[in-house]
Amino acid sequence: MTDPQPSVLLSTGTRMPLLGLGTFRLQGQEDTYNALDAALAAGYRAFDTAAVYRNEAHVGHALRCLLPKHGLSREDVFITSKLGPKDQGSKARDGCLRSLEQLELGYIDLYLIHWPGTQGLPVGDKRNPENRAQSWAVLEEFYAEGKFRAIGVSNYTVDHIKELLRNCKVPPAVLQVEFHPKLSQKELRAVCKETGVCFQAYSSLGTGLLLSDAVVQDVAKECGRTSAQVLLRWAVQQDIPVLPKSCQPERVKENGCLFDFELSGKDMERISALDCGEKICWDPTQVS
Ligand SMILES: NC(=O)C1=CN([C@@H]2O[C@H](COP(=O)(O)OP(=O)(O)OC[C@H]3O[C@@H](n4cnc5c(N)ncnc54)[C@H](OP(=O)(O)O)[C@@H]3O)[C@@H](O)[C@H]2O)C=CC1
Ligand SMILES: O=C1CO[C@H](CO)[C@@H](O)[C@@H]1O
């Protein structure tokens, strides 16, 4: 695999790029193709989709067309997808097979349990832990068969991670959660560090809402960058992989220019001081 961009080493021994394109709300073959085309041209080598985004087929199709155009092969890109809550438990095998079929890329680099709940079950229902364990056992099988090159979880709390680590054969390689200056996730990051799980950020731009934050804008002005670049740089400078989403090719390009500048220690601290524990995207622990 050519490695044109910085990456992190996963517990599986494979590497995951620090920069990936988020695809939630990227809809339609044409928009998906154009966003991925701009991303590959800008050096992105990772793409994050999910069964619930209903765009796995579009992402897979776009990549099959675009990889030759950019002189790349399958091994040059890192594809993440996720098991939806309706397939949690007894339907996990079907869900995993469906993602592989929709993407049609041979294998998936990283497959995550999207969130801890099961569709149709109340959050506190006793069947939830059983379903999570059943899903994980299926992910382990696909991992053993090489269909998934790494497996992990998303939106898990510290307790969910501990529950999984107590019972798994293969430990999770990645935890993907909301992370940005207003939500530092200190406890989760400490658990990930202790247990060798790679902590990955989503909604690094605060779904767009942090772009107008006064401190972020001030730092951006000082270093001649955009707010989006400052927010993303703040994360990757801590070795935390990011997944900015944009359906606008110019913004995709802008968000990809992260590795040719550095934030000073003082600016990193000013941005980190924005932490107030605020979830901007959603609260996945309250959703079945
Ligand atoms: N595991 C999970 O549960 C979750 C995973 N994710 C993943 O993380 C990805 C990113 O998170 P997401 O919540 O989408 O939010 P982001 O924080 O990436 O923000 C995306 C929003 O910011 C806008 N935007 C992007 N770049 C710029 C820019 N340079 N200037 C101005 N506006 C910009 C986009 O609009 P526009 O498209 O119009 O440019 C969009 O509205 C998702 O797409 C998904 O892949 C996200 C949420 C939950
Ligand atoms: O991954 C996701 C993106 O964010 C959404 C919330 O806004 C989630 O519903 C979804 O699972």
Side-chain angles (χ1 to χ4, degrees):
M1 171 165 168
T2 54
D3 196 4
Q5 291 227 339
S7 55
V8 285
L9 185 63
L10 302 182
S11 55
T12 48
T14 48
R15 301 198 75 91
M16 179 166 76
L18 270 175
L19 169 68
L21 182 75
T23 70
F24 179 50
R25 293 209 172 95
L26 200 53
Q27 292 302 333
Q29 189 64 75
E30 201 181 328
D31 278 0
T32 306
Y33 181 96
N34 291 337
L36 268 62
D37 195 12
L40 288 167
Y44 291 60
R45 293 294 178 264
F47 300 90
D48 180 82
T49 180
V52 298
Y53 302 169
R54 296 175 179 272
N55 62 10
E56 288 170 305
H58 287 159
V59 168
H61 176 79
L63 284 172
R64 286 194 304 282
C65 299
L66 286 165
L67 290 178
K69 178 183 167 195
H70 289 269
L72 297 168
S73 59
R74 171 67 183 90
E75 288 70 36
D76 295 320
V77 289
F78 187 102
I79 312 303
T80 299
S81 194
K82 314 184 193 89
L83 183 76
K86 78 175 175 56
D87 293 322
Q88 184 88 275
S90 61
K91 295 192 189 137
R93 169 162 288 278
D94 293 345
C96 293
L97 286 172
R98 209 176 309 115
S99 284
L100 282 161
E101 279 163 20
Q102 292 279 308
L103 278 161
E104 249 190 285
L105 293 168
Y107 61 91
I108 294 174
D109 296 272
L110 173 65
Y111 202 70
L112 308 174
I113 294 181
H114 202 147
W115 66 86
T118 305
Q119 189 167 303
L121 291 186
V123 170
D125 196 291
K126 280 195 194 121
R127 286 166 290 180
N128 278 317
E130 289 161 26
N131 286 351
R132 286 193 285 277
Q134 202 173 353
S135 296
W136 190 256
V138 171
L139 264 62
E140 288 178 327
E141 283 171 29
F142 280 76
Y143 174 71
E145 288 164 14
K147 290 292 180 195
F148 298 161
R149 298 282 163 96
I151 52 179
V153 291
S154 180
N155 298 306
Y156 271 36
T157 62
V158 169
D159 286 346
H160 293 129
I161 292 177
K162 287 187 176 163
E163 166 198 284
L164 175 56
L165 289 171
R166 272 196 303 274
N167 300 314
C168 63
K169 284 192 239 149
V170 179
V174 172
L175 168 69
Q176 184 187 109
V177 291
E178 180 175 345
F179 173 76
H180 45 67
K182 291 203 168 181
L183 185 64
S184 70
Q185 302 276 26
K186 278 202 185 74
E187 213 190 340
L188 270 177
R189 282 165 66 196
V191 170
C192 284
K193 200 170 173 193
E194 272 165 35
T195 56
V197 178
C198 171
F199 179 95
Q200 180 179 42
Y202 71 69
S203 300
S204 303
L205 309 177
T207 73
L209 294 179
L210 290 179
L211 297 168
S212 54
D213 179 273
V215 172
V216 175
Q217 285 191 336
D218 200 39
V219 172
K221 201 171 160 197
E222 265 174 32
C223 59
R225 294 287 172 153
T226 65
S227 290
Q229 289 167 334
V230 165
L231 286 163
L232 296 166
R233 179 71 209 180
W234 173 82
V236 298
Q237 205 162 307
Q238 301 173 72
D239 277 334
I240 296 179
V242 293
L243 299 165
K245 175 263 171 185
S246 179
C247 56
Q248 303 189 31
E250 277 312 307
R251 289 179 175 176
V252 170
K253 188 176 170 194
E254 171 191 331
N255 297 345
C257 293
L258 303 180
F259 303 110
D260 59 346
F261 76 109
E262 238 179 86
L263 295 172
S264 68
K266 189 175 135 265
D267 286 340
M268 289 294 287
E269 277 170 28
R270 279 180 76 197
I271 299 168
S272 300
L274 294 171
D275 184 25
C276 57
E278 183 184 341
K279 276 193 175 130
I280 295 178
C281 185
W282 67 314
D283 187 353
T285 59
Q286 297 309 312
V287 179
S288 302

